[in-house]
C-alpha cells in the first residue's frame, strides 16, 4: 500500500485522457479522442478516479488519507457486484493499460479508477435512511419530520426508524451544503415517473445493503446514491446507478455491537477527522471564515485504518 500523499492533490496528467471535472473527492476524465483516433474502444465513457482527498464540514482537508481512493473504488466495485441483480451500474472496465494512451486505466491510477458509461446525472442526491442522525435528526428535532415524512415522537440520535425512508437532497456546488427536499420537490424537478423510480431503486438498494452489512456486524444507518440515464440501443432511456456506492464517504456505517441510541454512534468513516477538527486541539472555529488547519499524522493514520477496516469488515477480505 502506498503511504505517500501523491494522490491528494488536483487532477493528474493521464495519457489518453483529458481532465473534465473535479468534485471534492473524485476527478473525471474524458477520452482524449484525437489521441485515440476519434473514438474510444469502449464507447461513450468517462474515467472516474477517486483521490485520497478527504473532506469534512464542506472543506477539503490537508493532507489526504493515503489509499482512501483505492478503498472507495474497490468497495464500490464490490457493492456494484452485490447489487447487480437489482440495478444496472455504470462500470464498464477496470482493465489496466497495456500501452500508454490505449484508452484503458493508466497504471498510475490502477486500483483507484473505473472506466464508466458516461451518464446524464439526475440533479438529486438519493438518500435512504434506516436510522435517524445527522441532517435527518436536525430536521426531526425542528419539526417532527424529515423531507416532509412525518416520524413518530420520541426518537433519539441513532434510533432505528419504523421503516427505511427516502429523503432526497439537491446537489450543491463545491463548498455548499446539499439541501434536503421533499419527494414532491424532486417530482417537480425531474417528473413523477423518474422520481418514483429513483425512490424505489434507492430503497431497494438500501434494503439489500442493510442486510448484507448486518450479516457482517455493521449497521448501515443511511446512504446516498446518485443515478443517471443512458440512451439504450433500443431507444429506451435507462436509469443506471453511478458514482460511488455504499462507501464510508457516502454512507454511515456503525459497528452493530456498539449501537446505543441517545448518543452519537462510533462509525467507520471520518469520525476522527471531525472529532479532531471540532476539538480544542485543532484551534479551528467551524463557524468562522478560516480554512481548517492541517491534520496531525495520528489523525491521518487512524482515519486510514478506519477506511481499511470498513472495507475488510464488509467484504470479508483485506484490501490486498
Ligand atoms: P461531493 O464531494 O459532495 O461528493 P461531488 O459529488 O460533486 O461532490 P465527487 O464525488 O468528488 O464530487 O465527484 C464525482 C462526480 O462525478 C459527481 O459530480 C458525480 O455526479 C459525477 N459522476 C459519477 N459517475 C458519473 C458518470 N458515470 N457519468 C457522469 N458523471 C458521473
Ligand atoms: Mg460525490
Amino acid at each position: 500500500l502506498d503511504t505517500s500523499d501523491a494522490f491528494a492533490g488536483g487532477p493528474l496528467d493521464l495519457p489518453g485522457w483529458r481532465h473534465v471535472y473535479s468534485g471534492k473527492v473524485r476527478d473525471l476524465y474524458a477520452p482524449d479522442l484525437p489521441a485515440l483516433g476519434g473514438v474510444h474502444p469502449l464507447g461513450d465513457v468517462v474515467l472516474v478516479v477517486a483521490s485520497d482527498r478527504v473532506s469534512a464540514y464542506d472543506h477539503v482537508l490537508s493532507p489526504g488519507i493515503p489509499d482512501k481512493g483505492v478503498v472507495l473504488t474497490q468497495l464500490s466495485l464490490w457493492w456494484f457486484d452485490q447489487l447487480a441483480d437489482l440495478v444496472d451500474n455504470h462500470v464498464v472496465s477496470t482493465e489496466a493499460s497495456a500501452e500508454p494512451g490505449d484508452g484503458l486505466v493508466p497504471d498510475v491510477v490502477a486500483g483507484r479508477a473505473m472506466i464508466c458509461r458516461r451518464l446524464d446525472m439526475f440533479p438529486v442526491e438519493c438518500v435512504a435512511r434506516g436510522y435517524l442522525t445527522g441532517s435527518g435528526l436536525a430536521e426531526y428535532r425542528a419539526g417532527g419530520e424529515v423531507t416532509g415524512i412525518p416520524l413518530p415522537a420520541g426518537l433519539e440520535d441513532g434510533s432505528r426508524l419504523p421503516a427505511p425512508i427516502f429523503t432526497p437532497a439537491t446537489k450543491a456546488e463545491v463548498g455548499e451544503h446539499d439541501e434536503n427536499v421533499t419527494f414532491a420537490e424532486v417530482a417537480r424537478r425531474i417528473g413523477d415517473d423518474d422520481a418514483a423510480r429513483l425512490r424505489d431503486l434507492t430503497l431497494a438498494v438500501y434494503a439489500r445493503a442493510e442486510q448484507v452489512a448486518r450479516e457482517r456486524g455493521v449497521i448501515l444507518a443511511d446512504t446516498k446514491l446518485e443515478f443517471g440515464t443512458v440512451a439504450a440501443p433500443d431507444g429506451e432511456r435507462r436509469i443506471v446507478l453511478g458514482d460511488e456506492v455504499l462507501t464510508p464517504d457516502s454512507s454511515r456505517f456503525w459497528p452493530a455491537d456498539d449501537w446505543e441510541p441517545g448518543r452519537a454512534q462510533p462509525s467507520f468513516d471520518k469520525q476522527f477527522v471531525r472529532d479532531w477538527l471540532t476539538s480544542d486541539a485543532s484551534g479551528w472555529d467551524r463557524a468562522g471564515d478560516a480554512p481548517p488547519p492541517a491534520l496531525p499524522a495520528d489523525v491521518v493514520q487512524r482515519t486510514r485504518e478506519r477506511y481499511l477496516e470498513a472495507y475488510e469488515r464488509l467484504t470479508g477480505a483485506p484490501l490486498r
Side-chain angles (χ1 to χ4, degrees), residues 21 23-26 28 90 117 119 121 171 226 243:
Y21 177 80
K24 284 195 281 291
V25 173
R26 263 160 289 279
L28 263 60
H90 65 158
R117 270 183 284 180
L119 302 181
M121 302 301 290
K171 263 184 91 68
E226 290 186 33
D243 209 47

Side-chain angles (χ1 to χ4, degrees), residues 21-28 44-46 48-51 53 55 58 60 80 89-91 114-122 124-125 171-176 178 224 226-230 240-244 249-250 270:
Y21 177 80
S22 289
K24 284 195 281 291
V25 173
R26 263 160 289 279
D27 301 311
L28 263 60
D44 191 8
V45 293
V46 289
V48 179
V49 180
S51 75
R53 298 192 291 271
S55 69
D58 294 318
V60 175
F80 281 129
N89 67 68
H90 65 158
V91 180
M114 317 182 286
I115 298 173
C116 300
R117 270 183 284 180
R118 192 176 57 76
L119 302 181
D120 196 1
M121 302 301 290
F122 286 106
V124 181
E125 310 258 337
K171 263 184 91 68
E173 298 298 318
V174 173
E176 299 292 314
D178 296 341
K224 181 207 73 175
E226 290 186 33
F227 294 90
T229 57
V230 282
V240 177
L241 181 55
D243 209 47
E244 63 176 341
D249 276 11
S250 67
K270 333 178 232 201

Side-chain angles (χ1 to χ4, degrees), residues 151-197:
L151 294 174
L155 300 177
E156 305 176 287
D157 190 355
S159 288
R160 187 174 194 181
L161 298 172
I165 54 176
F166 177 61
T167 63
T170 54
K171 263 184 91 68
E173 298 298 318
V174 173
E176 299 292 314
H177 286 289
D178 296 341
E179 194 192 338
N180 287 355
V181 292
T182 61
F183 178 79
E185 175 60 19
V186 173
R188 195 188 62 76
R189 291 187 189 205
I190 67 170
D192 292 351
D193 288 359
D194 282 346
R197 288 164 81 191

Side-chain angles (χ1 to χ4, degrees), residues 16-18 20 28-33 36 39-48 90-93 102-104 114-119 230:
W17 299 94
R18 61 187 176 83
V20 289
L28 263 60
Y29 302 81
D32 185 3
L33 291 179
L36 290 168
V39 58
H40 191 283
L42 297 173
D44 191 8
V45 293
V46 289
L47 182 72
V48 179
H90 65 158
V91 180
V92 173
S93 173
D102 60 7
L104 299 179
M114 317 182 286
I115 298 173
C116 300
R117 270 183 284 180
R118 192 176 57 76
L119 302 181
V230 282

